[in-house]
Amino acid sequence: MSAFTWSYPAARAFEVCRRKRYWRYYADSPERERAHVLGRLMNREQLAERAVVAAGLWLRAQNASSAAPTSQEAYEQAARPLLNDVWKSVRSAQWKQPDAKAARGLLEEAYPKLHPDVDADWPKALKTEILNRIEQLHTQLQPLFARIPREADIALGETQRFEIDQVAIRIDPHWAYREDDGVRIHRWECGMPDPMDQYHMGLLVKWATVALDVAPEQVRVIFDYVALGQSATEEDSVALLEAAEGWMQESWMDMSDYLENADRHENQPRPKLEWDMTPDRDVCRDCCYYALCKPEF
């Protein structure tokens, strides 16, 4: 069995439905391959966020000495190819092929009966939404992109991995850079602010202290809410870190209850039927593993 793995999205999903973590990390034969394939599904909001983040990364990656890139260019160069790849995969059912690991599908297309409210013109509406959010991100971030030299960048779009107490942790700082004597970390959020964002911010502080060997006081985390055109910065990084560490430890312990002997080192799952399913079927509507759980409803 592979190492016990933890991330902020995985922890949030686990809080909603224990079974979802089983399908993601522990599914056994004969359901393992089907779970891996269904795990490629995402909803339209997740697709939009990927497209906007891709555009943001492209904007940052441009040479600051060249002509300032536009939001339309960011859409054409970064977001549109991603959208085209997903739509091609959906139309051809490529995402269903076991060996097509990079292909992605859409929940609304895979489970149409669960989404009767989806309009036939949704791709056009989604494109408009993505363009608007890229324009907003461009307005918010382009002055900063132009001011911060590229050599100051620490991370740009790469998933970061580190380990604590034999737990493999993944985290996604969209853009991290050094400024003055500190580290600045940005995430581009397409949704609305969430009270849990404070823990996400604290986890990013934790990554910086472990991976970059900086004191929490030297870290500032900024969440750019592109749908609102607003940014949120929590100045007390020490308090954020302490709160996030407590929440993270509690999450690990809860997840460990579903492992044999609660042993994260061995990481052997208890039987599938002991992994609780959510009682809220509205949650299932937006779960990629709906087809696997449905026989037990």
XYZ file of all heavy atoms in Angstrom, residues 82-118:
299
model
N -7.081 24.117 -22.659
C -7.540 23.220 -21.598
C -9.008 22.856 -21.807
O -9.396 21.679 -21.714
C -7.328 23.898 -20.245
C -7.640 23.098 -18.977
C -6.797 23.617 -17.824
C -9.118 23.179 -18.597
N -9.839 23.852 -22.086
C -11.261 23.609 -22.322
C -11.477 22.703 -23.531
O -12.300 21.781 -23.498
C -11.989 24.934 -22.522
C -12.022 25.882 -21.321
C -12.573 27.238 -21.725
C -12.845 25.297 -20.189
N -10.726 22.960 -24.587
C -10.863 22.132 -25.790
C -10.497 20.680 -25.526
O -11.146 19.753 -26.028
C -9.992 22.693 -26.920
C -10.566 23.958 -27.532
O -11.749 24.257 -27.363
N -9.753 24.702 -28.249
N -9.447 20.472 -24.744
C -9.034 19.105 -24.413
C -10.127 18.373 -23.639
O -10.410 17.189 -23.905
C -7.745 19.121 -23.585
C -6.515 19.428 -24.421
O -6.607 19.376 -25.660
O -5.458 19.729 -23.833
N -10.746 19.068 -22.688
C -11.801 18.434 -21.897
C -13.026 18.163 -22.760
O -13.599 17.063 -22.706
C -12.167 19.307 -20.681
C -13.390 18.735 -19.953
C -10.988 19.397 -19.723
N -13.430 19.119 -23.554
C -14.607 18.908 -24.398
C -14.374 17.786 -25.413
O -15.262 16.991 -25.692
C -14.972 20.215 -25.106
C -15.585 21.208 -24.168
C -16.302 20.939 -23.033
C -15.521 22.620 -24.244
N -16.681 22.099 -22.408
C -16.229 23.150 -23.120
C -14.937 23.513 -25.145
C -16.371 24.518 -22.892
C -15.076 24.874 -24.913
C -15.786 25.362 -23.808
N -13.160 17.710 -25.952
C -12.833 16.622 -26.877
C -12.905 15.275 -26.164
O -13.428 14.290 -26.694
C -11.435 16.834 -27.450
C -10.992 15.735 -28.412
C -9.591 16.010 -28.940
C -9.122 14.885 -29.853
N -7.739 15.146 -30.363
N -12.391 15.232 -24.951
C -12.424 14.006 -24.170
C -13.856 13.589 -23.854
O -14.195 12.394 -23.899
C -11.642 14.197 -22.864
O -11.756 13.074 -22.026
N -14.720 14.572 -23.557
C -16.122 14.274 -23.254
C -16.841 13.748 -24.492
O -17.539 12.730 -24.437
C -16.827 15.531 -22.708
C -18.337 15.331 -22.642
C -16.284 15.882 -21.330
N -16.666 14.435 -25.621
C -17.376 14.041 -26.841
C -16.952 12.660 -27.341
O -17.764 11.895 -27.859
C -17.141 15.085 -27.937
C -17.861 16.412 -27.699
C -17.852 17.265 -28.961
N -16.490 17.616 -29.347
C -15.861 18.719 -28.956
N -16.470 19.569 -28.153
N -14.638 18.978 -29.371
N -15.668 12.348 -27.195
C -15.151 11.064 -27.683
C -15.183 9.968 -26.626
O -14.840 8.820 -26.924
C -13.716 11.247 -28.169
O -12.858 11.563 -27.078
N -15.582 10.331 -25.418
C -15.568 9.398 -24.278
C -14.158 8.879 -23.992
O -13.984 7.801 -23.437
C -16.519 8.229 -24.516
N -13.169 9.677 -24.342
C -11.779 9.274 -24.113
C -11.487 9.063 -22.634
O -10.718 8.187 -22.259
C -10.839 10.333 -24.687
C -9.355 9.990 -24.551
C -8.453 11.113 -25.035
O -8.929 12.206 -25.332
N -7.164 10.847 -25.120
N -12.128 9.869 -21.777
C -11.866 9.792 -20.340
C -12.235 8.424 -19.767
O -11.741 8.043 -18.700
C -12.612 10.894 -19.596
C -14.110 10.747 -19.605
C -14.976 11.227 -20.545
C -14.908 10.068 -18.636
N -16.261 10.892 -20.228
C -16.252 10.186 -19.052
C -14.625 9.384 -17.451
C -17.319 9.634 -18.337
C -15.681 8.832 -16.729
C -17.005 8.952 -17.162
N -13.072 7.681 -20.471
C -13.495 6.362 -20.000
C -12.465 5.274 -20.276
O -12.592 4.160 -19.758
C -14.817 5.965 -20.644
C -15.988 6.864 -20.282
C -17.267 6.372 -20.937
C -18.447 7.259 -20.577
N -19.710 6.782 -21.209
N -11.460 5.580 -21.098
C -10.459 4.572 -21.433
C -9.476 4.403 -20.271
O -8.906 5.391 -19.792
C -9.699 4.976 -22.705
C -10.599 5.209 -23.907
C -11.453 4.004 -24.223
O -10.965 2.859 -24.251
N -12.745 4.236 -24.450
N -9.264 3.181 -19.806
C -8.400 2.966 -18.634
C -7.005 3.558 -18.750
O -6.432 4.010 -17.758
C -8.340 1.432 -18.523
C -9.611 0.959 -19.151
C -9.862 1.920 -20.289
N -6.445 3.575 -19.976
C -5.076 4.057 -20.128
C -4.987 5.559 -20.403
O -3.894 6.100 -20.534
C -4.371 3.287 -21.248
C -5.082 3.422 -22.587
O -6.259 3.873 -22.607
O -4.488 3.064 -23.624
N -6.126 6.246 -20.471
C -6.130 7.687 -20.768
C -6.075 8.471 -19.466
O -7.013 9.184 -19.093
C -7.370 8.050 -21.580
N -4.960 8.377 -18.768
C -4.857 8.920 -17.415
C -4.969 10.438 -17.368
O -5.408 10.997 -16.362
C -3.538 8.472 -16.781
C -3.449 6.962 -16.583
C -2.134 6.573 -15.932
C -2.059 5.060 -15.734
N -0.789 4.650 -15.090
N -4.575 11.121 -18.429
C -4.618 12.582 -18.417
C -5.960 13.134 -18.882
O -6.219 14.332 -18.749
C -3.504 13.143 -19.304
N -6.829 12.289 -19.411
C -8.118 12.746 -19.925
C -9.064 13.076 -18.777
O -8.982 12.486 -17.697
C -8.732 11.681 -20.827
N -9.960 14.013 -19.022
C -10.922 14.411 -18.008
C -12.339 14.384 -18.589
O -12.547 14.638 -19.770
C -10.620 15.821 -17.484
C -9.315 15.913 -16.706
C -9.399 15.167 -15.392
N -8.163 15.209 -14.630
C -7.224 14.267 -14.675
N -7.392 13.209 -15.451
N -6.117 14.371 -13.956
N -13.299 14.077 -17.723
C -14.699 14.097 -18.114
C -15.465 15.083 -17.257
O -14.925 15.672 -16.318
N -16.758 15.262 -17.570
C -17.594 16.206 -16.845
C -18.752 15.479 -16.171
O -19.432 14.660 -16.797
C -18.135 17.275 -17.789
C -17.116 18.311 -18.279
C -17.751 19.199 -19.337
C -16.609 19.157 -17.118
N -18.969 15.791 -14.919
C -20.050 15.171 -14.161
C -21.400 15.361 -14.823
O -22.209 14.432 -14.900
C -20.101 15.784 -12.752
C -19.161 15.220 -11.698
C -19.130 16.160 -10.505
C -19.624 13.841 -11.270
N -21.667 16.574 -15.274
C -22.972 16.874 -15.840
C -23.260 16.060 -17.091
O -24.423 15.772 -17.402
C -23.079 18.371 -16.161
C -23.060 19.274 -14.933
C -21.662 19.634 -14.475
O -20.682 19.066 -15.008
O -21.533 20.489 -13.583
N -22.206 15.672 -17.811
C -22.384 14.856 -19.009
C -22.429 13.371 -18.656
O -23.131 12.591 -19.301
C -21.234 15.121 -19.986
C -21.169 16.554 -20.498
C -22.362 16.896 -21.363
O -22.787 16.055 -22.180
O -22.881 18.022 -21.220
N -21.684 12.966 -17.642
C -21.658 11.554 -17.249
C -22.938 11.140 -16.535
O -23.388 9.985 -16.658
C -20.453 11.291 -16.345
N -23.533 12.063 -15.761
C -24.736 11.764 -14.997
C -25.841 12.768 -15.354
O -26.264 13.577 -14.520
C -24.455 11.844 -13.500
C -23.383 10.921 -13.000
C -22.295 11.415 -12.272
C -23.436 9.546 -13.239
C -21.311 10.567 -11.784
C -22.460 8.693 -12.767
C -21.391 9.204 -12.041
O -20.415 8.349 -11.576
N -26.325 12.759 -16.593
C -27.292 13.779 -17.026
C -28.600 13.758 -16.240
O -29.218 14.805 -16.040
C -27.525 13.440 -18.502
C -27.136 12.005 -18.641
C -26.017 11.806 -17.681
N -29.023 12.591 -15.767
C -30.288 12.525 -15.021
C -30.192 13.242 -13.677
O -31.213 13.650 -13.115
C -30.691 11.068 -14.803
C -31.096 10.353 -16.095
C -31.554 8.935 -15.820
C -31.963 8.236 -17.105
N -32.407 6.829 -16.861
N -28.981 13.394 -13.166
C -28.794 14.107 -11.909
C -28.728 15.618 -12.115
O -28.757 16.378 -11.143
C -27.509 13.645 -11.225
C -27.424 12.171 -10.830
C -26.077 11.882 -10.177
C -28.561 11.794 -9.902
N -28.617 16.035 -13.369
C -28.456 17.460 -13.683
C -29.444 17.890 -14.767
O -29.039 18.402 -15.828
C -27.024 17.727 -14.137
C -25.991 17.326 -13.133
N -25.579 18.157 -12.119
C -25.311 16.157 -12.958
C -24.682 17.531 -11.371
N -24.503 16.328 -11.858
N -30.738 17.717 -14.509
C -31.729 18.081 -15.533
C -31.816 19.576 -15.789
O -32.387 20.009 -16.797
C -33.045 17.544 -14.939
C -32.817 17.565 -13.464
C -31.371 17.216 -13.282
N -31.258 20.371 -14.878
C -31.322 21.822 -14.998
C -30.234 22.394 -15.897
O -30.196 23.602 -16.136
C -31.209 22.461 -13.614
C -29.975 21.996 -12.848
O -29.546 20.845 -13.072
O -29.457 22.767 -12.026
N -29.334 21.556 -16.407
C -28.235 22.049 -17.238
C -28.755 22.443 -18.609
O -29.354 21.626 -19.326
C -27.130 20.982 -17.371
C -26.068 21.446 -18.357
C -26.515 20.696 -16.009
